[in-house]
Amino acid sequence: MSAQVLKVQPLTRTAFAPFGQVIETKGVQPYRINRGTTARFDDLARLELAQDGGTPLVSIFRGQPFVPPVAIRMVERHPLGSQAFMPLSGRPYMVVVAPAQGDGRPGAPLAFLARGDQGVNYSRGTWHHPLLALEGESDFLVIDRGGSGDGSDDNLEEHSYPGEGFVVEEIWTL
Amino acid sequence: MSAQVLKVQPLTRTAFAPFGQVIETKGVQPYRINRGTTARFDDLARLELAQDGGTPLVSIFRGQPFVPPVAIRMVERHPLGSQAFMPLSGRPYMVVVAPAQGDGRPGAPLAFLARGDQGVNYSRGTWHHPLLALEGESDFLVIDRGGSGDGSDDNLEEHSYPGEGFVVEEIWTL
């Protein structure tokens, strides 16, 4: 069986809502601080990091770029915590997530194209593909769960799709 | 009394250590994840956000640029939590901090020039000047304390320096 083709859709708050939050200023009303010199777009992600004694961890991920066709053969999830990615490069990237089915296993994935000024926060337990940078090596600030009780296996589940899985054949430019 | 001139120094991990952490990949050994496609520079900031039932808050700050001479007349601090800033624009910015004296009040400030790929995390209770973007309007991802018990006054102290305070007259380019 050949790979099923995945269409890529623009990343929007509404479309991504079942999987977590889009971290962006668009559509958010800021408030002024610092005597008016700074606009604060407040509280853009729902971090879930305290489960089982976890603590928030701040890291930088440097992703190698993927070039279409991009094969999507597996997804992973972190049952103990959320995971947020904010691009530092200004480059677009791809976000692939999958809804959990009744048995908890992932259904068919959805692919989103994120602009370089959009971050994402995967809700705790959300199936997603590992980082898919585009166009060039790209750094992301990552906020995820670390700390006590965090044997790495406890907070990572992987699922491989049968056969050839899925493929993103083309990515239009935003 | 005229303002005292502050010299600007490059932001380095060592020089900034009394005030918090520099969030950068330089000098950090990453480990490979995601089948080798991603390098993880792990755990770059010591977040202190749980005090008095606090929770981590992810926001975007959009700072208006300052142009020298920059007057430094006050500093502030957050007694209940750390505060991290990561530039999203790639532009340099200025970091001004002050050591606490024996009575807890801030001494003379120090000014650092941060590269666009360097973030900072102010340790809980560290005196610092509000955001000082440079060169153009600049966005920063901010991780600070929110949540229960957080009347905004509880987590904000301000201190005004007497007289004209301090001034950064020139900022060289990195």
Side-chain angles (χ1 to χ4, degrees):
Chain A
M1 194 176 80
S2 62
Q4 293 180 57
V5 174
L6 276 188
K7 296 271 186 206
V8 179
Q9 56 183 301
L11 180 66
T12 65
R13 216 168 286 215
T14 305
F16 193 70
F19 308 102
Q21 301 84 48
V22 178
I23 302 170
E24 63 179 340
T25 59
K26 195 181 167 188
V28 177
Q29 186 62 39
Y31 58 91
R32 290 269 156 194
I33 58 171
N34 301 342
R35 293 165 174 73
T37 62
T38 303
R40 179 172 181 138
F41 300 82
D42 194 47
D43 195 9
L44 303 175
R46 282 194 292 283
L47 303 186
E48 304 162 276
L49 301 170
Q51 178 75 19
D52 292 354
T55 54
L57 213 57
V58 175
S59 305
I60 292 175
F61 282 19
R62 177 164 294 162
Q64 295 306 310
F66 285 70
V67 178
V70 180
I72 305 295
R73 292 169 177 269
M74 57 80 68
V75 286
E76 63 180 33
R77 67 173 177 178
H78 309 296
L80 299 182
S82 59
Q83 189 175 41
F85 290 81
M86 189 74 205
L88 302 175
S89 66
R91 278 191 277 271
Y93 61 104
M94 198 158 59
V95 171
V96 172
V97 289
Q101 298 175 304
D103 61 1
R105 294 199 300 176
L110 284 78
F112 296 96
L113 184 58
R115 299 190 314 265
D117 63 352
Q118 291 179 309
V120 291
N121 183 49
Y122 299 121
S123 297
R124 177 180 163 205
T126 296
W127 290 107
H128 61 277
H129 193 275
L131 185 59
L132 292 164
L134 299 173
E135 295 187 358
E137 187 179 81
S138 303
D139 285 0
F140 294 76
L141 196 75
V142 175
I143 309 167
D144 62 3
R145 181 186 176 280
S148 64
D150 183 31
S152 58
D153 290 336
D154 296 342
N155 197 22
L156 179 63
E157 289 177 30
E158 293 188 348
H159 174 86
S160 292
Y161 287 110
E164 296 293 309
F166 299 84
V167 63
V168 175
E169 290 186 335
E170 57 181 343
I171 300 170
W172 27 263
T173 306
L174 286 173
Chain B
M1 195 175 80
S2 61
Q4 294 180 57
V5 174
L6 276 188
K7 296 271 185 205
V8 180
Q9 56 184 302
L11 181 66
T12 65
R13 216 167 285 214
T14 305
F16 192 70
F19 307 102
Q21 300 85 48
V22 178
I23 302 170
E24 63 179 341
T25 58
K26 195 180 166 186
V28 177
Q29 186 62 38
Y31 59 91
R32 290 269 156 194
I33 58 173
N34 300 342
R35 293 166 175 72
T37 63
T38 303
R40 180 171 181 139
F41 301 82
D42 193 46
D43 195 8
L44 302 175
R46 282 194 292 282
L47 303 186
E48 304 162 277
L49 301 170
Q51 178 75 17
D52 292 354
T55 54
L57 212 58
V58 175
S59 305
I60 292 175
F61 282 18
R62 178 164 294 162
Q64 295 306 310
F66 286 70
V67 178
V70 179
I72 305 295
R73 293 169 175 269
M74 58 80 69
V75 285
E76 63 180 34
R77 67 174 176 177
H78 308 296
L80 298 182
S82 58
Q83 190 175 40
F85 290 81
M86 190 74 205
L88 302 175
S89 67
R91 278 191 277 273
Y93 61 105
M94 199 158 57
V95 171
V96 172
V97 289
Q101 297 174 305
D103 61 359
R105 294 200 301 176
L110 283 79
F112 296 97
L113 183 58
R115 298 190 314 265
D117 64 352
Q118 290 180 309
V120 290
N121 182 48
Y122 299 121
S123 296
R124 177 180 162 203
T126 296
W127 291 107
H128 61 277
H129 193 275
L131 185 60
L132 292 165
L134 298 173
E135 295 187 359
E137 187 180 80
S138 302
D139 285 0
F140 295 76
L141 195 76
V142 175
I143 309 166
D144 61 4
R145 180 186 176 279
S148 64
D150 182 32
S152 59
D153 290 336
D154 296 342
N155 197 22
L156 179 63
E157 289 177 29
E158 293 188 349
H159 174 86
S160 292
Y161 286 110
E164 296 293 310
F166 300 85
V167 63
V168 175
E169 290 186 332
E170 57 182 343
I171 300 170
W172 27 263
T173 305
L174 286 174

